[in-house]
Amino acid sequence: MTSFILLLLITILQFISGMGILSLFRITLQPILQIALSILLGIAFFSIVPFVMQLFYVPLTGQNVFICLVAGALLLNSNFKHVLTSYSSLVKNFKIGIRIYEIPFLLLIAFAVFLSVWRCFYLPPTPRDLLSGPEVIAEYAVKEKTLINSVFTVNLETTNNQFKPAYITSLQIIYKYIGFQFGQLWLSTVFICFILFLYHALNQKIHRLITGFLLCAFIAIPELYAYTIMALFDYSNAVFLFLAFYFLFEFFQRHLSGYLLFSGFLMAIATYIRSETLVLACLIVPIIIIYFLRNKKPVINIISGILIFVLPAAVFYWISVPFYIDHYLPVTYNVEGTINQHIGHVGELWDRFKLMNTKLIFSETGLSYYGYFIYLFLAAFVLELIVKRKFTAQGRNWLAAVFVVYFGLALLGWLLPLFDLDSTTRRGALKLFPLMLFFFQGSQLMISLSNRISRWEYSKKLVKS
Amino acid sequence: MAGTNPKKRRPSSAAQKRPAPSKQKISSGSSVFHKQILLLALAFVLLVGYFSIGYTREWFSSKILTCWDEFKDQKNKMSPEERLTARFGNNYTISKLLADFLKKRGQGNKLILMPPNDYLTQNKIQYKVPEPAIFYYFTGLKTVWANSEEAHKANWYVSTANNGQMLVDSVMNQKQLDSVINKFRKYKISL
């Protein structure tokens, strides 16, 4: 019971930290979006604290970790005036309204969420990539109070998972300290907050009936749901990559630099979770350049825009991978050695792209991994193309995002031989689905259908006199 | 792609909500309620329809309903050992048995040479040997596989006896260890 009270307190502390981060970037959203996003940011912040403590050789005792978490949360909220305004606006605007026709969708989502949370709590970490790296390091970090512990004296020839960034290790340490032997419940928090965020963000433009259906279809993507139960890097990576895109596109609409900065920060978090996301960050650069060119901005703005977006990710990558491995870990790892040594063979990139499509995405296996969601997206895309013959700015943005990740997965598979098709690319494809989901939000067809339903729902026929 | 021109600035996404229904046309509460009941029926149709087809139906029955059935059983088995056994089965229980046996043989530094999976399968032993990092996670003991350069540092080894049972023994001398390593190296050694 104590553990569950501590879990609640931890979640509140995550929310407070996240609110602080949002206030630093001057981001204000609708209340539920703000709450969900704050907790997600809080989790990201929590995942950094034990790692930074290790960088300064602070012993990872329970007491030290929690003092640092609280101190960090207070520091993030040091701009009291702005933070207080955020809280008062949150309380003033907070309201929950559920329509009767949302209930079937919400019940199904709640049922799926409950089972996911239960299994996260009940079962120990499962994936080999977690057990042989972050989990075993976290387990012994709690015993030995350091990330550089006796695990590194074990024969580690069969794995390279000890070199993965500290995102999961740090979170596992915190959740083990509050009494959950198998940790993992941070993943449930990520899952719930992400679903809340998606539901309310989609509701801003499309009718709740459509949102409910789409979100149920989204939750029923077998592979995506599986990774809400099995803690690994990919689900969190997909969440923060999606958020980076979401706020980048908000920047495109609002033209406020705070949104670009925030998007760069989210991209840095996504890179901290999975280091190869840095490649995707670079692939997004052309989209940013097009935005600046269309708005006739000078070259200096273009350069600074690119740097704001890519630099934080590059710094997070450098600290969490090469710097940490070279200067802290007692074993060596040749990061450059993981890159394709035959980079001139560009034909292999095409082969990889073909293989990804035929063996993974558009195959019987693909259907068992991803269900029908890709086909729902393709149907919406084709209908939009045939009926409307053009896309909205938002629709185009999300299409570009899907393309970047889709092509990026093939590129990563070609660039990094360890990025295999059957497991890494399969899980990497999870990043596509939130982006596909938000294409629906930018679809003119969906918006006009939503408007029709809303008008019908609330209006009556005018009676001729 | 990309955003809109600032000169033609559009309202933010929050402000780009669906148009609010015109006040003159707003129907009475009961009419809205009736329409919402129709939408509720449509919601059911959409859900039942989507979750009745091929892979979605399979996912729902094989994952969601199975997880629900397991939940009813799991909630009565809450000890960490039961949960670990439920997840890892023999891989965990046999590793723990080996560790318990070895811990009873003294606390000194032990490095255990583990047999390849193919070797165990051939000897009809259902145990998938966890890689050293995972064995350490399960038991706190260090192991090594026969294809490692560190294999010759082992001071204990696991093998099989003639009766199809597992054998755990200390290394008597280097010659004996080399012979065990060579025996194991004849098999494919992989995860």
Side-chain angles (χ1 to χ4, degrees):
Chain A
M1 197 62 199
T2 321
S3 299
F4 286 98
I5 294 168
L6 286 172
L7 179 66
L8 183 68
L9 292 176
I10 280 284
T11 311
I12 293 170
L13 194 61
Q14 283 162 349
F15 166 69
I16 293 169
S17 312
M19 284 291 281
I21 294 172
L22 285 177
S23 77
L24 288 177
F25 288 98
R26 300 284 190 272
I27 305 280
T28 315
L29 300 162
Q30 282 186 2
I32 295 182
L33 289 179
Q34 181 123 354
I35 292 168
L37 184 61
S38 295
I39 297 174
L40 286 171
L41 289 171
I43 288 173
F45 166 69
F46 272 39
S47 75
I48 293 169
V49 170
F51 176 61
V52 172
M53 289 171 70
Q54 183 62 57
L55 291 181
F56 290 99
Y57 295 106
V58 179
L60 298 175
T61 61
Q63 199 180 15
N64 285 354
V65 170
F66 289 103
I67 288 172
C68 287
L69 290 175
V70 173
L74 289 175
L75 205 65
L76 288 169
N77 285 275
S78 52
N79 186 356
F80 285 123
K81 208 173 165 186
H82 194 268
V83 172
L84 279 178
T85 317
S86 298
Y87 279 106
S88 69
S89 138
L90 197 69
V91 173
K92 205 163 65 184
N93 299 321
F94 189 85
K95 60 173 187 233
I96 298 177
I98 295 174
R99 314 273 193 279
I100 191 168
Y101 50 79
E102 288 177 271
I103 291 171
F105 301 122
L106 295 181
L107 283 177
L108 183 79
I109 293 169
F111 187 48
V113 166
F114 167 74
L115 290 173
S116 166
V117 174
W118 167 258
R119 289 177 85 85
C120 249
F121 160 73
Y122 185 82
L123 294 170
T126 308
R128 181 217 158 219
D129 284 7
L130 182 61
L131 275 180
S132 63
E135 171 63 4
V136 65
I137 294 173
E139 183 72 20
Y140 283 88
V142 170
K143 288 174 185 163
E144 300 169 23
K145 317 300 174 201
T146 171
L147 289 178
I148 303 150
N149 51 47
S150 60
V151 172
F152 291 94
T153 64
V154 175
N155 183 285
L156 298 172
E157 288 170 45
T158 53
T159 176
N160 65 357
N161 291 316
Q162 68 277 23
F163 300 113
K164 299 268 169 74
Y167 171 77
I168 291 184
T169 314
S170 297
L171 288 170
Q172 286 291 91
I173 290 170
I174 294 167
Y175 282 74
K176 280 171 192 280
Y177 268 134
I178 62 170
F180 295 99
Q181 188 184 344
F182 305 136
Q184 293 194 123
L185 277 174
W186 52 268
L187 179 62
S188 299
T189 315
V190 170
F191 179 38
I192 293 168
C193 290
F194 189 47
I195 292 299
L196 265 178
F197 187 92
L198 292 177
Y199 193 72
H200 287 273
L202 283 171
N203 274 346
Q204 288 183 336
K205 281 194 187 168
I206 52 181
H207 193 271
R208 288 167 184 236
L209 185 80
I210 303 173
T211 302
F213 172 72
L214 285 175
L215 212 61
C216 285
F218 179 78
I219 282 193
I221 298 169
E223 197 71 357
L224 194 67
Y225 183 74
Y227 284 96
T228 68
I229 293 168
M230 292 186 287
L232 211 53
F233 300 93
D234 301 85
Y235 194 88
S236 303
N237 179 245
V239 169
F240 283 95
L241 182 74
F242 160 80
L243 291 172
F245 274 117
Y246 182 88
F247 285 96
L248 180 67
F249 300 154
E250 285 291 302
F251 164 70
F252 289 169
Q253 280 203 321
R254 299 176 188 220
H255 315 288
L256 299 171
S257 58
Y259 282 81
L260 181 61
L261 266 170
F262 186 54
S263 173
F265 171 72
L266 290 165
M267 188 51 85
I269 300 292
T271 305
Y272 172 57
I273 297 168
R274 273 207 81 105
S275 50
E276 68 269 16
T277 312
L278 182 60
V279 176
L280 297 181
C282 296
L283 290 179
I284 297 165
V285 167
I287 303 178
I288 298 172
I289 294 175
I290 292 171
Y291 160 79
F292 281 111
L293 290 178
R294 285 183 67 164
N295 288 286
K296 299 184 175 58
K297 298 284 182 191
V299 176
I300 188 77
N301 283 29
I302 300 178
I303 294 170
S304 61
I306 293 168
L307 286 179
I308 286 172
F309 186 74
V310 177
L311 206 59
V315 170
F316 268 59
Y317 167 77
W318 182 74
I319 293 174
S320 64
V321 183
F323 176 73
Y324 181 65
I325 292 173
D326 290 348
H327 294 88
Y328 288 83
L329 295 189
V331 283
T332 53
Y333 188 56
N334 177 16
V335 179
E336 287 81 25
T338 60
I339 297 170
N340 185 357
Q341 300 301 307
H342 308 287
I343 213 94
H345 300 174
V346 185
E348 287 171 11
L349 173 61
W350 174 244
D351 292 342
R352 180 58 179 229
F353 190 67
K354 265 199 311 195
L355 206 63
M356 194 179 94
N357 282 301
T358 52
K359 285 256 169 84
L360 188 66
I361 307 279
F362 300 108
S363 66
E364 196 75 9
T365 320
L367 273 169
S368 67
Y369 288 156
Y370 310 125
Y372 300 110
F373 198 82
I374 294 173
Y375 297 92
L376 278 179
F377 162 76
L378 287 176
F381 170 74
V382 171
L383 273 176
E384 189 87 349
L385 204 63
I386 293 170
V387 180
K388 298 288 179 184
R389 291 170 190 247
K390 63 172 186 174
F391 299 102
T392 60
Q394 280 293 301
R396 282 197 302 273
N397 287 337
W398 289 110
L399 270 181
V402 169
F403 177 77
V404 162
V405 174
Y406 192 58
F407 176 72
L409 286 174
L411 182 73
L412 284 167
W414 171 72
L415 211 56
L416 310 166
L418 288 176
F419 202 96
D420 65 345
L421 192 72
D422 293 334
S423 50
T424 319
T425 308
R426 191 189 82 206
R427 293 195 304 258
L430 303 187
K431 292 188 252 294
L432 286 167
F433 299 111
L435 311 177
M436 288 179 175
L437 182 66
F438 266 67
F439 172 73
F440 288 95
Q441 198 213 33
S443 152
Q444 274 183 291
L445 271 178
M446 285 297 149
I447 294 169
S448 57
L449 179 64
S450 297
N451 289 340
R452 275 166 185 261
I453 300 173
S454 291
R455 273 200 293 271
W456 173 79
E457 186 182 347
Y458 288 105
S459 67
K460 61 182 176 187
K461 283 178 186 169
L462 291 174
V463 182
K464 284 181 185 173
S465 54
Chain B
M1 201 192 301
T4 52
N5 193 315
K7 287 173 188 167
K8 299 176 195 168
R9 186 177 292 198
R10 288 182 184 183
S12 68
S13 62
Q16 267 189 333
K17 289 179 187 173
R18 294 183 304 281
S22 139
K23 279 185 182 170
Q24 287 91 350
K25 287 186 176 181
I26 284 184
S27 48
S28 63
S30 66
S31 172
V32 170
F33 182 71
H34 288 141
K35 285 174 181 174
Q36 290 187 341
I37 293 291
L38 281 176
L39 289 174
L40 174 68
L42 183 59
F44 271 115
V45 170
L46 282 171
L47 268 188
V48 172
Y50 191 70
F51 284 87
S52 306
I53 51 171
Y55 285 96
T56 322
R57 185 180 59 194
E58 194 183 307
W59 171 79
F60 191 77
S61 63
S62 71
K63 291 286 180 281
I64 298 294
L65 296 181
T66 309
C67 285
W68 174 246
D69 288 339
E70 285 175 4
F71 162 74
K72 287 186 269 187
D73 185 42
Q74 286 166 344
K75 67 183 187 338
N76 301 317
K77 296 174 182 168
M78 293 298 289
S79 80
E81 283 300 309
E82 283 174 309
R83 289 149 70 184
L84 281 158
T85 306
R87 174 53 95 191
F88 300 112
N90 262 359
N91 297 351
Y92 176 74
T93 46
I94 295 181
S95 300
K96 285 295 277 187
L97 283 173
L98 289 173
D100 289 345
F101 175 83
L102 283 160
K103 279 172 187 167
K104 282 178 195 161
R105 297 289 180 280
Q107 292 297 316
N109 265 346
K110 293 189 180 74
L111 180 64
I112 307 135
L113 174 70
M114 298 299 284
N117 289 316
D118 283 5
Y119 171 80
L120 291 177
T121 309
Q122 198 182 63
N123 286 282
K124 298 187 173 46
I125 292 175
Q126 289 187 331
Y127 171 53
K128 191 168 181 291
V129 181
E131 61 189 297
I134 298 179
F135 198 92
Y136 191 61
Y137 174 69
F138 285 163
T139 65
L141 288 178
K142 293 174 188 172
T143 55
V144 66
W145 286 7
N147 57 347
S148 165
E149 283 177 11
E150 292 179 7
H152 69 274
K153 293 180 187 167
N155 47 17
W156 285 80
Y157 68 94
V158 174
S159 184
T160 55
N162 291 333
N163 55 3
Q165 288 189 328
M166 288 183 94
L167 170 87
V168 186
D169 206 352
S170 60
V171 173
M172 304 298 285
N173 53 51
Q174 199 59 42
K175 195 178 164 192
Q176 181 204 21
L177 179 62
D178 290 343
S179 142
V180 177
I181 291 171
N182 288 334
K183 181 172 73 175
F184 287 168
R185 281 185 178 170
K186 287 176 188 158
Y187 295 84
K188 188 182 161 204
I189 303 174
S190 62
L191 292 171

